[in-house]
Amino acid sequence: WEEPPYPKPGEYYLLTGKVGQHTQFATQNNQLLHKYEDKPRIWVHTSVAKTLGIITDDLVRVTSLVGEVILAALVTEGIRPDCVYMAPGYGHLSKGLVTAYAHGASDSELHMTFTDPISGGQALTQTFVQLEKA
Amino acid sequence: MPQKNHFGFVIDVSRCIDCRACLVSCSVENAVPMNHTRIWVHDLGLQGEFPDLRRTFIPYNCMHCDNPPCIQVCTSGATYKDKETGLVLVNQEACIGCGFCVEACPYDARYLDEKRGVVDKCNACDQRLVIGQKPACVATCLGGARMFGDLNDSNSEAVIALKNANSILQRLDIEYEQGTHTHPNIYYINSDENLNARLEPHQPQYTLAEQSWRKFFLPAVLVGVGATVLGQAIMFTKQLLQGESEFEDR
């Protein structure tokens, strides 16, 4: 057993998941799915948002050790106060993806690579990010 | 019920996961323009404090009311209640696109298709019903939240779901004139929320154009036509009784 790292004060676990309207990272350019999806935002707990002074749809600069993105915030009770959640699959870089290009932000720009020494799996919740109002 | 069938939707609120597959399939099936939608999933929002949270989604579309306010305001007679199925449909050949019904619908379930100049709405996929298929939203629903069937037929999927419901049946019914209720045909089951209070269907809104048409111009036209007919009739009778004298040679 190895004690996992914990976020320092002012840092938050970066969580990612899936969007109900999309299949992984492949369908963001589908106009019909784009039409009915929620705007990609970063979820922030109400108490954290209060200390940062942000409300829903404010732009937030999210910084990890390896990168930073700017994304609109969703202030919600539906997340732990020490975590933030980003809808994955957005922030496509190819201009050929007319609908998906520059829509939302990519969580891959923030993730650091931690490989599990036994299984080889990626530890996707071990990246800690800092938030500030952009 | 006056009509032969009485089609209606039954929606199990506890099963909706807000995946919006129904919205996509509806758009594809009915070629809905990209800036409009015929059906919606209303999110009541998160309730409670972390970690004791709950969230309810209410899918809805045209309620196919028994007393639809939209039919009353239709100037061209394009909106009608189908006698066979009980569905509220739009005859787009006859629709003039005045948009009065869009304002009058308490559930905002209609939209004006600007490109075609007609009003469009949920038609319960009647093109699929005639070949024995369910509406696209019902066929797509992952959780089985949406059900559709003939409410007069005790073996239909909808009636069985209504019988097995764990809660009271709810409808988003509103009274819009003295003693007149919309009597919508979407039944919501398995929810302990008061959906009518949460979704808040509004009173039918009548635009200035609609009101002036119904209260002033339509009566004026009727009075004018009536007066003309009456005058003609009087002159005609007079002529019959007295005989024509004016243009006869003396």
Side-chain angles (χ1 to χ4, degrees), chain A residues 20-21 31-33 35-38 43 45 76-81, chain B residues 18-20 23-24 27-28 32-34 36-37 46 48-50 53:
Chain A
Q21 286 75 38
Q31 291 195 17
L32 273 167
L33 301 181
K35 174 182 172 183
Y36 292 122
E37 77 186 9
D38 283 327
W43 296 19
H45 188 263
T76 174
E77 275 289 316
I79 188 162
R80 265 168 56 157
Chain B
D18 192 26
C19 67
R20 298 171 214 168
L23 279 70
V24 175
S27 287
V28 174
V32 178
M34 282 308 277
H36 290 295
T37 173
L46 275 175
E49 278 186 17
F50 183 85
L53 297 164

Side-chain angles (χ1 to χ4, degrees), chain B residues 33 112-118:
Chain B
L112 185 63
D113 186 340
E114 298 90 349
K115 225 172 197 173
R116 291 192 294 149
V118 294

